[in-house]
Amino acid sequence: ALPISLDTAAGLLLVQLAVILALSRALGAVARRLRQPVVVAEIGAGIVLGPSVLGAVSPASMHALFPQGSLDTLHALSQLALVLFMFVVGLRLDAGQLFRTARTSLVVSQASMFVPFVLSAAMASWLYRELSTPDVPFTVFALFVGLAMSVTAFPVLARLLRERRLLDTRVGVVAIASAAIDDVAAWCLLGVVVSLARSADVAGALSSVALVGVAVLALFSLRPVLARAGAHLLARSGMTDRVVGGVLVLVLAAGGLTEGLGIHALFGAVVLGAISPREGG
């Protein structure tokens, strides 16, 4: 037997990351040959390593490589990576173009929510008998199903736009802004619907929705402050490790703010990236 032990959390995490990256890169090479987005291959790698493939072929191998207790750590690390990636996506966006396309993005966002919401709510009468319990009102269940199916795979869309080099185009800006509006609205409304289902404090849920709006406005109001601070720091000392450290603190704080308000941390990161200064390199 080889003198290798995966009993430590660090050792197991490193092996997990190595396997995930190796398989993702291998499938990514295949996807490129087939002219498919690499992000599709990465999703495929997750399916292969999960219960659908590896778990069906060799459940013991899957549980040895990904024991249930290790998934929280892997998930937390993946969320950190996602927040940093979405900040970079925000940096690539033209904030001026975001404001210029705000009306178009709003219309596209609402239209993209309307179709899946109506179709899913129409299916609720059948799903209600299969999935719900009598203590949940049908109206609340239908709203929940409709809203849950209206949420966009925001990070996947960002990866697709980045791979196709569309982030800097008007189409890319409208797409990413529409998805952001869509998801924020859907998550906020889901919070209200869940409160209704649990007979919880609906007023509290509505106040949380208002806080989300205030938080987004507060982040955008930081734009001139960040511009002045960035110009001062770069003129004084350039892009030093202290500046990079300060930026990371802001990214994590913005992500923590939106996560704490009930929407995903990536929204705080992408908004901060969009309002960050780009002048002076």
Side-chain angles (χ1 to χ4, degrees):
L2 293 173
I4 297 176
S5 174
L6 296 182
D7 292 338
T8 64
L12 179 60
L13 178 62
L14 294 174
V15 171
Q16 289 172 337
L17 292 176
V19 172
I20 292 170
L21 288 173
L23 184 59
S24 297
R25 292 299 179 183
L27 294 182
V30 176
R32 287 191 184 93
R33 286 184 173 275
L34 297 175
R35 297 184 179 179
Q36 294 298 311
V38 175
V39 67
V40 174
E42 292 168 351
I43 295 172
I47 295 173
V48 170
L49 293 173
S52 300
V53 178
L54 183 60
V57 174
S58 177
S61 298
M62 189 195 75
H63 291 302
L65 184 58
F66 298 104
Q68 191 64 36
S70 71
L71 296 183
D72 287 343
T73 302
L74 195 61
H75 179 262
L77 187 62
S78 71
Q79 295 307 297
L80 174 61
L82 185 59
V83 166
L84 296 176
F85 168 70
M86 293 309 299
F87 172 68
V88 175
V89 169
L91 280 176
R92 293 286 304 276
L93 294 175
D94 183 345
Q97 197 170 53
L98 270 177
F99 287 112
R100 288 193 296 272
T101 59
R103 182 178 298 178
T104 303
S105 300
L106 185 62
V107 172
V108 171
S109 170
Q110 299 314 301
S112 68
M113 286 184 68
F114 178 77
V115 174
F117 179 85
V118 170
L119 292 176
S120 303
M123 292 173 56
S125 57
W126 172 70
L127 295 173
Y128 183 72
R129 295 190 298 269
E130 297 290 328
L131 302 176
S132 188
T133 55
D135 59 307
V136 177
F138 172 73
T139 303
V140 172
F141 179 80
L143 288 172
F144 178 83
V145 172
L147 287 169
M149 296 301 290
S150 301
V151 177
T152 305
F154 191 55
V156 176
L157 173 64
R159 283 293 305 276
L160 290 170
L161 292 173
R162 188 184 183 194
E163 283 185 38
R164 300 303 182 190
R165 299 179 180 178
L166 292 172
L167 271 178
D168 299 328
T169 66
R170 177 180 169 82
V171 171
V173 169
V174 170
I176 205 77
S178 301
I181 296 169
D182 180 339
D183 275 17
V184 170
W187 281 115
C188 290
L189 291 172
L190 271 174
V192 176
V193 171
V194 169
S195 296
L196 287 171
R198 295 175 177 172
S199 299
D201 181 13
V202 180
L206 291 174
S207 66
S208 296
V209 173
L211 281 174
V212 170
V214 171
V216 172
L217 289 174
L219 284 173
F220 273 104
S221 69
L222 287 175
R223 189 183 180 193
V225 177
L226 290 174
R228 287 195 297 269
H232 173 73
L233 288 172
L234 290 174
R236 183 179 178 183
S237 55
M239 187 60 73
T240 63
D241 56 348
R242 184 177 299 178
V243 175
V244 174
V247 170
L248 289 175
V249 169
L250 289 175
V251 173
L252 298 177
L257 174 65
T258 52
E259 183 76 26
L261 290 174
I263 57 175
H264 205 287
L266 64 88
F267 291 106
V270 76
V271 169
L272 186 68
I275 64 174
S276 293
R278 296 159 179 77
E279 295 77 12

